[in-house]
Amino acid sequence: MPNRIINTSGKVRNLILKLQRNEIPDAQEYREVLLCHDRNAVSLLHEAAREASVRRFGNGIHIRGLVEITNICRNDCFYCGIRRSNGRVTRYRLTRSEILGCCRRGYASGFRTFVLQGGELPDSADRDIAGLCSAIRSEFPDCAVALSLGERSEEGYRMFREAGATRYLLRHETRDPVHYSRLHPPGMSLSNRLHCLDMLKDMGYMTGTGIMVGSPYQSIGNIVDDILYMARFRPEMIGIGPFIPHRDTPFAGARRAKAYSVAGGVEDACHVPLPEWDAGEMTLKLISIFRLMFPDAFIPATTALATFYPDGHERGILAGANVVMPNLSPPSVRDDYSLYDGKAAYGAESAEGLDELRIRLEDIGYRILLSEA
Ligand code: 5AD
């Protein structure tokens, strides 16, 4: 085996060099690095990404306050705990004054970017959302408003933009239409998702996209396609986290699944179960690859990563992430925004836990940047 190890680590080195020189690796080169299990080679990848991040951002980690404004959703994504068909969720929608209250508390702690995330409300909510964006912008003119509210109409996105929202997060989840259709019900389509992303970019939003890693039926080939898509799309923000099953969804037992039998060959059409294909490690590799591809991007160490690993923030940052998004939602609704089982929402994952986060990041040589949009 030593030869193989030398080979794979050579391949990782080559990919790092290519990305550092702004050259464009091909699908096979990405694939080999995603499949590489050699610890030393993977460490090299993380180190190179960390260096790229520090070169661009120093040791400062950007902090965004996340307000989960509603868990009401018109969609029915198979992986998501707040999908419409889940009758076990207590639904809530925060009022404008509750949301402004969250922002006020966040502002007092030094937050200068508010991310309003929620399920997909009906189109009729667009006006309220726009009103909310204006209200936040007028009370906190030095703050940025980012939205993560799913697929909306062109008019909706435009209204929010005019009301002062400047950033939008919308993961594409997978670039493969067949894989997309295995994760979403028939009414949803990859083409609409991609169209939304194009509209957002055209309207001048700072746009974020990304994927879940280890979602059911996902293959290495899918992830390579996601990378190639993102290389073309050039998102300014990139959200990547491990898929974590939710007990009340059709994918409740996904982690235990052996292999999905789908036509098209083993490697290209199966969900290789953990731990051979560890969603946490794959997430960290991808963070590093994206950091090398996009040295200027905002890449969070996501809540899902912090749920997957107790030290997920630290691991994400050491792999090249530069953002953490603590939860500013009222504690009374946090458990109802349950996208997946065990979702972290307290401690270092929350606004109350900012001191804990600060100390933990200091331990690995980083500091949190507050008072910056
Ligand atoms: N595991 C991990 N991430 C999930 N998301 C939704 N459900 C899950 C899950 N079960 C992610 C999706 C979505 C984001 C808001 O949360 O990628 O875009």
Side-chain angles (χ1 to χ4, degrees):
M1 291 300 272
N3 268 343
R4 217 187 124 238
I5 290 171
I6 289 164
N7 265 341
T8 46
S9 89
K11 281 169 180 162
V12 172
R13 268 175 226 275
N14 277 342
L15 186 92
I16 295 170
L17 284 173
K18 275 202 167 179
L19 292 173
Q20 285 171 336
R21 292 194 207 113
N22 243 328
E23 291 168 22
I24 302 171
D26 64 24
Q28 185 58 19
E29 290 172 292
Y30 282 122
R31 169 184 288 263
E32 279 162 351
V33 170
L34 295 178
L35 286 170
C36 167
H37 286 297
D38 174 30
R39 296 217 160 264
N40 293 331
V42 175
S43 298
L44 273 182
L45 179 70
H46 295 327
E47 254 164 60
R50 192 153 77 225
E51 275 169 27
S53 186
V54 169
R55 207 172 306 127
R56 172 67 180 78
F57 297 97
N59 67 347
I61 299 299
H62 293 260
I63 301 294
R64 323 283 193 213
L66 183 68
V67 187
E68 295 158 336
I69 65 169
T70 183
N71 66 357
I72 297 170
C73 191
R74 63 184 170 193
N75 271 335
D76 215 18
C77 310
F78 301 146
Y79 47 83
C80 183
I82 62 167
R83 62 197 303 265
R84 188 184 61 219
S85 307
N86 184 4
R88 296 189 176 203
V89 185
T90 309
R91 303 286 170 172
Y92 73 88
R93 179 169 166 188
L94 300 181
T95 62
R96 186 190 291 195
S97 76
E98 285 172 315
I99 297 167
L100 284 168
C102 297
C103 296
R104 260 172 231 137
R105 278 191 294 281
Y107 192 90
S109 314
F111 289 82
R112 293 295 178 270
T113 300
F114 301 115
V115 182
L116 311 182
Q117 190 178 82
E120 279 189 24
L121 290 168
D123 289 340
S124 56
D126 283 352
R127 259 175 215 295
D128 271 8
I129 297 168
L132 177 62
C133 296
S134 330
I136 297 176
R137 292 279 304 141
S138 56
E139 185 168 343
F140 311 101
D142 54 338
C143 293
V145 175
L147 302 177
S148 174
L149 301 169
E151 297 179 6
R152 319 294 304 172
S153 67
E154 184 172 354
E155 300 75 65
Y157 287 145
R158 206 178 296 286
M159 243 194 268
F160 310 155
R161 185 74 187 79
E162 281 162 11
T166 50
R167 307 178 187 180
Y168 205 104
L169 304 166
L170 180 66
R171 293 187 183 175
H172 67 286
E173 314 295 359
T174 175
R175 182 59 189 75
D176 173 5
V178 175
H179 184 217
Y180 194 92
S181 71
R182 294 176 160 255
L183 300 179
H184 302 95
M188 293 178 71
S189 72
L190 176 64
S191 59
N192 193 52
R193 182 63 58 104
L194 300 180
H195 176 57
C196 287
L197 282 163
D198 289 337
M199 287 194 287
L200 290 163
K201 200 155 224 207
D202 288 348
M203 287 180 206
Y205 280 100
M206 183 192 271
T207 307
T209 193
I211 59 168
M212 282 176 296
V213 176
S215 62
Y217 309 105
Q218 185 182 50
S219 68
I220 294 289
N222 291 148
I223 300 180
V224 172
D225 289 344
D226 293 320
I227 296 174
L228 298 177
Y229 163 68
M230 286 163 71
R232 293 191 301 276
F233 184 75
R234 307 198 67 78
E236 285 104 344
M237 306 176 286
I238 300 166
I240 326 160
F243 162 75
I244 300 169
H246 185 288
R247 63 194 174 285
D248 299 319
T249 63
F251 291 154
R255 203 186 295 207
R256 289 182 298 279
K258 273 275 181 239
Y260 294 91
S261 49
V262 187
V266 181
E267 212 264 298
D268 265 336
C270 73
H271 173 59
V272 184
L274 303 172
E276 288 156 68
W277 201 92
D278 185 283
E281 283 176 21
M282 187 63 84
T283 299
L284 295 171
K285 264 191 210 170
L286 286 166
I287 289 176
S288 295
I289 289 175
F290 287 124
R291 169 58 64 215
L292 291 167
M293 289 170 75
F294 304 113
D296 295 334
F298 290 107
I299 306 180
T302 56
T303 306
L305 189 61
T307 303
F308 194 93
Y309 293 121
D311 56 348
H313 291 136
E314 290 92 327
R315 286 182 194 242
I317 288 164
L318 294 173
N322 64 332
V323 177
V324 177
M325 296 162 58
N327 196 316
L328 275 182
S329 308
S332 58
V333 300
R334 276 188 210 168
D335 291 339
D336 295 326
Y337 198 80
S338 55
L339 304 185
Y340 41 83
D341 288 339
K343 181 171 156 285
Y346 303 93
E349 194 57 38
S350 67
E352 318 83 80
L354 211 52
D355 285 331
E356 182 187 338
L357 182 67
R358 181 178 291 115
I359 291 165
R360 287 172 54 170
L361 299 194
E362 276 169 8
D363 278 348
I364 55 164
Y366 288 80
R367 67 201 167 90
I368 58 179
L369 292 178
L370 289 162
S371 308
E372 253 183 62

mmCIF file of all heavy atoms in Angstrom, residues 185-203:
data_model
loop_
_atom_site.group_PDB
_atom_site.id
_atom_site.type_symbol
_atom_site.label_atom_id
_atom_site.label_comp_id
_atom_site.label_asym_id
_atom_site.label_seq_id
_atom_site.Cartn_x
_atom_site.Cartn_y
_atom_site.Cartn_z
ATOM 1 N N PRO A 185 -39.928 16.439 -3.045
ATOM 2 C CA PRO A 185 -41.159 15.915 -3.647
ATOM 3 C C PRO A 185 -41.335 16.447 -5.069
ATOM 4 O O PRO A 185 -40.660 17.413 -5.460
ATOM 5 C CB PRO A 185 -42.246 16.455 -2.723
ATOM 6 C CG PRO A 185 -41.656 17.680 -2.116
ATOM 7 C CD PRO A 185 -40.189 17.442 -2.011
ATOM 8 N N PRO A 186 -42.224 15.850 -5.828
ATOM 9 C CA PRO A 186 -42.391 16.189 -7.237
ATOM 10 C C PRO A 186 -42.588 17.680 -7.546
ATOM 11 O O PRO A 186 -42.072 18.166 -8.523
ATOM 12 C CB PRO A 186 -43.623 15.378 -7.654
ATOM 13 C CG PRO A 186 -43.617 14.214 -6.726
ATOM 14 C CD PRO A 186 -43.063 14.707 -5.437
ATOM 15 N N GLY A 187 -43.274 18.430 -6.709
ATOM 16 C CA GLY A 187 -43.486 19.852 -7.051
ATOM 17 C C GLY A 187 -42.209 20.692 -7.099
ATOM 18 O O GLY A 187 -42.209 21.797 -7.622
ATOM 19 N N MET A 188 -41.118 20.177 -6.556
ATOM 20 C CA MET A 188 -39.899 20.996 -6.498
ATOM 21 C C MET A 188 -38.927 20.564 -7.584
ATOM 22 O O MET A 188 -38.860 19.396 -7.923
ATOM 23 C CB MET A 188 -39.221 20.824 -5.131
ATOM 24 C CG MET A 188 -40.021 21.393 -3.986
ATOM 25 S SD MET A 188 -39.208 21.118 -2.401
ATOM 26 C CE MET A 188 -37.801 22.243 -2.501
ATOM 27 N N SER A 189 -38.168 21.522 -8.102
ATOM 28 C CA SER A 189 -37.229 21.140 -9.146
ATOM 29 C C SER A 189 -35.888 21.834 -8.974
ATOM 30 O O SER A 189 -35.814 22.970 -8.494
ATOM 31 C CB SER A 189 -37.794 21.480 -10.524
ATOM 32 O OG SER A 189 -37.779 22.879 -10.701
ATOM 33 N N LEU A 190 -34.854 21.121 -9.390
ATOM 34 C CA LEU A 190 -33.519 21.705 -9.347
ATOM 35 C C LEU A 190 -33.464 22.941 -10.237
ATOM 36 O O LEU A 190 -32.845 23.939 -9.886
ATOM 37 C CB LEU A 190 -32.477 20.676 -9.815
ATOM 38 C CG LEU A 190 -31.064 21.204 -9.914
ATOM 39 C CD1 LEU A 190 -30.530 21.631 -8.544
ATOM 40 C CD2 LEU A 190 -30.129 20.158 -10.521
ATOM 41 N N SER A 191 -34.184 22.881 -11.376
ATOM 42 C CA SER A 191 -34.066 24.018 -12.293
ATOM 43 C C SER A 191 -34.611 25.285 -11.642
ATOM 44 O O SER A 191 -34.035 26.360 -11.791
ATOM 45 C CB SER A 191 -34.738 23.732 -13.638
ATOM 46 O OG SER A 191 -36.088 23.439 -13.409
ATOM 47 N N ASN A 192 -35.677 25.162 -10.854
ATOM 48 C CA ASN A 192 -36.159 26.377 -10.188
ATOM 49 C C ASN A 192 -35.171 26.866 -9.138
ATOM 50 O O ASN A 192 -34.940 28.063 -8.983
ATOM 51 C CB ASN A 192 -37.545 26.177 -9.573
ATOM 52 C CG ASN A 192 -38.146 27.518 -9.179
ATOM 53 O OD1 ASN A 192 -38.203 28.439 -10.003
ATOM 54 N ND2 ASN A 192 -38.524 27.656 -7.920
ATOM 55 N N ARG A 193 -34.580 25.919 -8.418
ATOM 56 C CA ARG A 193 -33.588 26.304 -7.403
ATOM 57 C C ARG A 193 -32.438 27.084 -8.058
ATOM 58 O O ARG A 193 -32.028 28.140 -7.604
ATOM 59 C CB ARG A 193 -33.074 25.033 -6.712
ATOM 60 C CG ARG A 193 -32.077 25.207 -5.594
ATOM 61 C CD ARG A 193 -32.630 25.970 -4.430
ATOM 62 N NE ARG A 193 -33.812 25.392 -3.826
ATOM 63 C CZ ARG A 193 -33.830 24.713 -2.664
ATOM 64 N NH1 ARG A 193 -32.725 24.543 -1.982
ATOM 65 N NH2 ARG A 193 -34.960 24.244 -2.163
ATOM 66 N N LEU A 194 -31.946 26.550 -9.165
ATOM 67 C CA LEU A 194 -30.816 27.213 -9.834
ATOM 68 C C LEU A 194 -31.243 28.559 -10.420
ATOM 69 O O LEU A 194 -30.484 29.536 -10.399
ATOM 70 C CB LEU A 194 -30.237 26.309 -10.932
ATOM 71 C CG LEU A 194 -29.710 24.950 -10.438
ATOM 72 C CD1 LEU A 194 -29.160 24.139 -11.611
ATOM 73 C CD2 LEU A 194 -28.634 25.119 -9.357
ATOM 74 N N HIS A 195 -32.485 28.605 -10.898
ATOM 75 C CA HIS A 195 -33.012 29.862 -11.427
ATOM 76 C C HIS A 195 -33.067 30.921 -10.310
ATOM 77 O O HIS A 195 -32.694 32.079 -10.505
ATOM 78 C CB HIS A 195 -34.401 29.606 -12.028
ATOM 79 C CG HIS A 195 -35.087 30.833 -12.511
ATOM 80 N ND1 HIS A 195 -34.525 31.683 -13.462
ATOM 81 C CD2 HIS A 195 -36.276 31.391 -12.172
ATOM 82 C CE1 HIS A 195 -35.348 32.694 -13.665
ATOM 83 N NE2 HIS A 195 -36.415 32.547 -12.904
ATOM 84 N N CYS A 196 -33.525 30.493 -9.127
ATOM 85 C CA CYS A 196 -33.561 31.420 -7.984
ATOM 86 C C CYS A 196 -32.153 31.956 -7.696
ATOM 87 O O CYS A 196 -31.962 33.152 -7.478
ATOM 88 C CB CYS A 196 -34.096 30.721 -6.734
ATOM 89 S SG CYS A 196 -35.870 30.421 -6.791
ATOM 90 N N LEU A 197 -31.174 31.067 -7.709
ATOM 91 C CA LEU A 197 -29.806 31.504 -7.419
ATOM 92 C C LEU A 197 -29.319 32.514 -8.458
ATOM 93 O O LEU A 197 -28.686 33.511 -8.122
ATOM 94 C CB LEU A 197 -28.874 30.280 -7.364
ATOM 95 C CG LEU A 197 -28.980 29.488 -6.058
ATOM 96 C CD1 LEU A 197 -28.385 28.098 -6.187
ATOM 97 C CD2 LEU A 197 -28.298 30.253 -4.921
ATOM 98 N N ASP A 198 -29.659 32.258 -9.722
ATOM 99 C CA ASP A 198 -29.255 33.201 -10.776
ATOM 100 C C ASP A 198 -29.932 34.557 -10.576
ATOM 101 O O ASP A 198 -29.301 35.604 -10.721
ATOM 102 C CB ASP A 198 -29.600 32.639 -12.162
ATOM 103 C CG ASP A 198 -28.696 31.458 -12.528
ATOM 104 O OD1 ASP A 198 -27.585 31.357 -11.961
ATOM 105 O OD2 ASP A 198 -29.113 30.636 -13.374
ATOM 106 N N MET A 199 -31.226 34.516 -10.215
ATOM 107 C CA MET A 199 -31.925 35.791 -9.990
ATOM 108 C C MET A 199 -31.275 36.568 -8.850
ATOM 109 O O MET A 199 -31.052 37.768 -8.949
ATOM 110 C CB MET A 199 -33.400 35.534 -9.624
ATOM 111 C CG MET A 199 -34.255 35.094 -10.776
ATOM 112 S SD MET A 199 -36.017 35.200 -10.366
ATOM 113 C CE MET A 199 -36.256 33.829 -9.258
ATOM 114 N N LEU A 200 -30.990 35.857 -7.767
ATOM 115 C CA LEU A 200 -30.402 36.518 -6.602
ATOM 116 C C LEU A 200 -29.093 37.202 -6.977
ATOM 117 O O LEU A 200 -28.835 38.354 -6.627
ATOM 118 C CB LEU A 200 -30.179 35.496 -5.479
ATOM 119 C CG LEU A 200 -31.466 34.964 -4.831
ATOM 120 C CD1 LEU A 200 -31.203 33.691 -4.042
ATOM 121 C CD2 LEU A 200 -32.084 36.033 -3.924
ATOM 122 N N LYS A 201 -28.286 36.466 -7.724
ATOM 123 C CA LYS A 201 -27.000 37.020 -8.135
ATOM 124 C C LYS A 201 -27.216 38.245 -9.030
ATOM 125 O O LYS A 201 -26.596 39.293 -8.834
ATOM 126 C CB LYS A 201 -26.199 35.957 -8.866
ATOM 127 C CG LYS A 201 -24.748 36.304 -8.868
ATOM 128 C CD LYS A 201 -23.871 35.123 -9.009
ATOM 129 C CE LYS A 201 -22.760 35.321 -7.989
ATOM 130 N NZ LYS A 201 -21.548 34.692 -8.342
ATOM 131 N N ASP A 202 -28.144 38.117 -9.985
ATOM 132 C CA ASP A 202 -28.407 39.234 -10.904
ATOM 133 C C ASP A 202 -28.930 40.468 -10.171
ATOM 134 O O ASP A 202 -28.726 41.586 -10.618
ATOM 135 C CB ASP A 202 -29.447 38.828 -11.966
ATOM 136 C CG ASP A 202 -28.849 37.857 -12.972
ATOM 137 O OD1 ASP A 202 -27.609 37.707 -12.971
ATOM 138 O OD2 ASP A 202 -29.631 37.247 -13.733
ATOM 139 N N MET A 203 -29.656 40.244 -9.078
ATOM 140 C CA MET A 203 -30.191 41.397 -8.334
ATOM 141 C C MET A 203 -29.155 42.031 -7.424
ATOM 142 O O MET A 203 -29.454 42.988 -6.716
ATOM 143 C CB MET A 203 -31.391 40.957 -7.491
ATOM 144 C CG MET A 203 -32.617 40.697 -8.315
ATOM 145 S SD MET A 203 -33.975 40.199 -7.219
ATOM 146 C CE MET A 203 -34.939 39.241 -8.383
#
